[in-house]
Amino acid sequence: MKNKCLYIQTFGCQMNVHDSEQISALLSGIGYQQTDNIKLSDLIILNTCSIREKATHKVYSQLGRIGKLKEQNPELIIGVVGCLAQHLGTKFHRKEDCLDFVSGTQNIHLLPEIINTLIKDRKKITEIDFHNSLSAMNIFATPGKDRISAFVTIMQGCNNFCSYCVVPYLRGREISRTSKDIIEEIIKLVDLGIKEVTLLGQNVNSYGKNLNDGSNFTSLIKKIGEIFGIKRIRFTTSHPRDLSLELMNCFAEEEKLCSHIHLPVQSGSNRVLELMNRGYKIEEYTKKIDYLRKISPQISITSDIIVGFPGETVKDYQETIDMMEKIRFDSTFSFKYSEREGTAAQKLEGKIPEDEKLIRLEKLQMMQNKHTLEKNIELERSLQELLVEGESKNSKSDLMGRTSSNKIVNFRGEPDLIGKFVEVEISKAYLHSLKGKIKKSKEACIVY
Ligand code: SAM
Ligand code: SF4
């Protein structure tokens, strides 16, 4: 069978990145090999995001460009998957004539069948039913050559219905994979050289709720910790309301759990948090951060923040700024509120003008940059253990590794250190990375 070329472009979050890895693995089974060269492709898939309006615009402009490739090559198959595909369904075909298929968030496992059907008969296909099955999550994505770290989906969907968010509508209700399936996947990954796993779910704290077998997220972490060969465990994302004492204690007790938590706060104003249907008060959030820092002083804490939520007053916004000054996150992803169709927040009054949202966002980001740099400077002259992931993006003679706290460190080193744990001294802090230096001989810096 002659290999055909697949070009896949991913928009959005880590879940989408991992979905794309699974799609690539599945389609290799029917003879498609992934390419970076869009012009060589026989099949183009855009894995879309619709969390904010900006993400959807990016997809439309890319489809405009891709449509032109089809004029030159009528055999080319073009499809969209992911959240925007789920949202628009057949409407996507009406909007974008170049599309051959639209496949939703719970239909990845159907892609080989969709493509084979299209090869035989070019009629437009739409598959957006929710199957509520584990088929898609159980697809094994062989990690690329030289990969050290891999994503593992532990659950899909979300039951939280934060008032601004489309995820529960587009990814469906929460369903967890069995711990047996997850453990088997991780053991396979270890056999392929993986040392670090990031457990993925929209709200990992809810893991196990539908399984009725007594398992929960903490017990899952403990089981994964027992797997020989796994050296580091990360997870994302955790909802502040559901972050249990048991899970927080894992940061002190479970040696393999990395010292980093992404805990989206969204706002510092209790009034706005209530309108967002987040289910916690800022005092409860802050108390959890204090506890995490007490039991795990090295922990880095990152967050998501939305500015310009409907009805956010200058006072509410100031409360977010004050909260950030108090907590001093290691870094944050911050966004202008983006109205999404069908969400509860769409019906709220007091919409904030775009230019005002931008002013609020820029001020907040400037402050965060200051905190991030200060936090990084605190690490200067400290010794840090890194898992070396590969060549540095900055220079071919440098390597890049990550601290347990998820900070990127570039340092001079030889390629045979890739995949090893090494100890370096942090010599210089920047906003987005650190510079490190091997202090001992190459052999002596290897921790294991
Ligand atoms: N499940 C995760 C959680 O609860 O934090 C992440 C969900 S979402 C993919 C990532 C972030 O996008 C959210 O934490 C939120 O800050 C942001 N977001 C979601 N909907 C948004 C909207 N309508 N406008 C602006 N930002 C939004
Ligand atoms: Fe969206 Fe809230 Fe669910 Fe996160 S927890 S995916 S923000 S509804």
Side-chain angles (χ1 to χ4, degrees):
M1 187 168 46
K2 184 181 163 291
N3 263 334
K4 287 175 279 183
C5 291
L6 159 71
Y7 180 86
I8 178 157
Q9 185 172 357
T10 311
F11 299 83
C13 63
Q14 282 158 322
M15 324 272 160
N16 269 14
V17 172
H18 186 46
D19 287 350
S20 291
E21 291 170 349
Q22 289 178 313
I23 291 169
S24 177
L26 258 188
L27 295 181
S28 71
I30 58 162
Y32 283 91
Q33 208 163 44
Q34 209 173 326
T35 173
D36 291 334
N37 188 343
I38 195 166
K39 291 190 180 139
L40 289 183
S41 52
D42 303 283
L43 168 61
I44 299 177
I45 298 182
L46 301 191
N47 190 356
T48 63
C49 170
S50 72
I51 198 91
R52 287 168 290 275
E53 194 59 29
K54 203 167 147 190
T56 67
H57 287 316
K58 284 190 197 161
V59 174
Y60 292 133
S61 32
Q62 180 63 335
L63 277 171
R65 287 188 283 271
I66 290 173
K68 295 201 178 78
L69 293 176
K70 201 165 189 168
E71 287 165 15
Q72 294 151 23
N73 173 15
E75 295 296 304
L76 179 63
I77 299 177
I78 303 178
V80 280
V81 300
C83 287
L84 188 59
Q86 183 68 42
H87 175 57
L88 290 177
T90 51
K91 276 192 230 156
F92 225 145
H93 285 295
R94 291 201 287 278
K95 267 171 119 54
E96 301 287 341
D97 193 40
C98 67
L99 288 179
D100 295 293
F101 70 90
V102 175
S103 170
T105 51
Q106 292 192 15
N107 296 278
I108 288 177
H109 58 296
L110 301 178
L111 284 174
E113 197 185 317
I114 293 176
I115 307 300
N116 281 331
T117 310
L118 279 166
I119 290 170
K120 285 189 219 121
D121 179 10
R122 278 305 178 94
K123 58 176 184 218
K124 295 189 182 283
I125 297 180
T126 309
E127 283 285 355
I128 54 162
D129 287 350
F130 277 162
H131 299 277
N132 285 343
S133 83
L134 301 174
S135 317
M137 284 194 284
N138 281 336
I139 298 165
F140 183 73
T142 312
K145 211 167 96 5
D146 304 330
R147 282 277 294 275
I148 314 294
S149 174
F151 292 127
V152 176
T153 303
I154 61 161
M155 60 188 298
Q156 71 180 20
C158 181
N159 293 352
N160 281 325
F161 290 94
C162 299
S163 64
Y164 49 81
C165 183
V166 283
V167 168
Y169 306 96
L170 301 181
R171 292 220 169 231
R173 295 298 92 78
E174 285 170 6
I175 321 174
S176 302
R177 288 174 78 193
T178 64
S179 57
K180 182 174 166 288
D181 285 342
I182 296 169
I183 301 288
E184 279 174 11
E185 176 172 337
I186 297 177
I187 291 172
K188 261 198 211 170
L189 289 168
V190 169
D191 288 345
L192 294 167
I194 291 298
K195 300 201 161 122
E196 176 186 277
V197 284
T198 302
L199 310 175
L200 294 180
Q202 292 294 349
N203 180 16
V204 290
N205 305 315
S206 293
Y207 173 79
K209 279 192 182 153
N210 70 297
L211 293 173
N212 298 320
D213 64 355
S215 45
N216 62 24
F217 188 51
T218 313
S219 66
L220 180 69
I221 289 180
K222 293 201 165 144
K223 274 190 203 161
I224 296 171
E226 283 165 16
I227 300 176
F228 184 77
I230 278 298
K231 309 281 192 219
R232 282 181 169 185
I233 305 169
R234 302 183 183 277
F235 62 82
T236 194
T237 303
S238 179
H239 191 294
R241 181 199 56 213
D242 302 329
L243 178 64
S244 65
L245 188 63
E246 200 190 6
L247 179 54
M248 288 195 280
N249 284 337
C250 269
F251 284 99
E253 289 161 7
E254 180 47 65
E255 219 184 298
K256 294 181 181 177
L257 185 62
C258 288
S259 320
H260 169 225
I261 186 165
H262 185 67
L263 199 61
V265 62
Q266 314 298 359
S267 170
S269 151
N270 283 332
R271 207 182 64 80
V272 173
L273 286 173
E274 198 175 338
L275 288 171
M276 288 177 163
N277 191 29
R278 288 291 286 176
Y280 52 85
K281 291 206 169 0
I282 196 63
E283 294 76 15
E284 290 158 348
Y285 181 91
T286 315
K287 215 166 137 192
K288 288 187 178 179
I289 301 290
D290 290 344
Y291 185 73
L292 283 164
R293 283 181 169 155
K294 188 172 121 209
I295 61 162
S296 173
Q298 304 304 320
I299 199 165
S300 77
I301 296 175
T302 59
S303 198
D304 292 345
I305 297 175
I306 298 176
V307 298
F309 187 78
E312 182 190 72
T313 60
V314 171
K315 179 171 172 287
D316 293 321
Y317 172 72
Q318 189 55 45
E319 284 176 12
T320 299
I321 296 287
D322 294 345
M323 171 272 297
M324 289 175 72
E325 282 286 12
K326 190 166 162 210
I327 292 181
R328 298 178 75 246
F329 292 109
D330 287 80
S331 69
T332 53
F333 295 108
S334 46
F335 314 101
K336 290 186 285 171
Y337 167 73
S338 172
E339 182 172 294
R340 308 316 290 137
E341 200 183 321
T343 57
Q346 193 187 18
K347 298 184 197 84
L348 291 177
E349 290 183 355
K351 299 279 151 61
I352 310 293
E354 280 305 307
D355 51 355
E356 175 60 25
K357 282 192 230 171
L358 187 62
I359 292 171
R360 292 183 192 187
L361 185 70
E362 284 178 349
K363 179 177 164 200
L364 183 148
Q365 289 180 336
M366 255 168 62
M367 191 181 75
Q368 181 57 56
N369 285 348
K370 183 172 163 283
H371 290 170
T372 302
L373 186 59
E374 284 169 4
K375 287 260 170 196
N376 286 349
I377 288 172
E378 281 168 23
L379 296 176
E380 282 182 355
R381 288 181 298 282
S382 71
L383 290 175
Q384 296 286 329
E385 188 179 301
L386 312 179
L387 172 54
V388 185
E389 292 185 10
E391 222 173 60
S392 158
K393 281 189 187 142
N394 303 341
S395 150
K396 280 210 175 308
S397 43
D398 285 352
L399 298 175
M400 185 281 268
R402 221 174 267 268
T403 64
S404 171
S405 58
N406 208 29
K407 312 243 177 190
I408 289 174
V409 183
N410 296 302
F411 66 102
R412 183 68 33 107
E414 288 165 33
D416 58 350
L417 290 178
I418 295 171
K420 303 220 162 57
F421 285 82
V422 300
E423 193 181 64
V424 300
E425 188 185 272
I426 302 304
S427 49
K428 180 96 185 112
Y430 304 98
L431 184 56
H432 299 295
S433 65
L434 301 163
K435 192 150 186 62
K437 202 168 174 203
I438 292 177
K439 287 296 278 183
K440 305 170 189 160
S441 71
K442 191 181 103 189
E443 286 67 33
C445 79
I446 299 174
V447 184
Y448 51 89

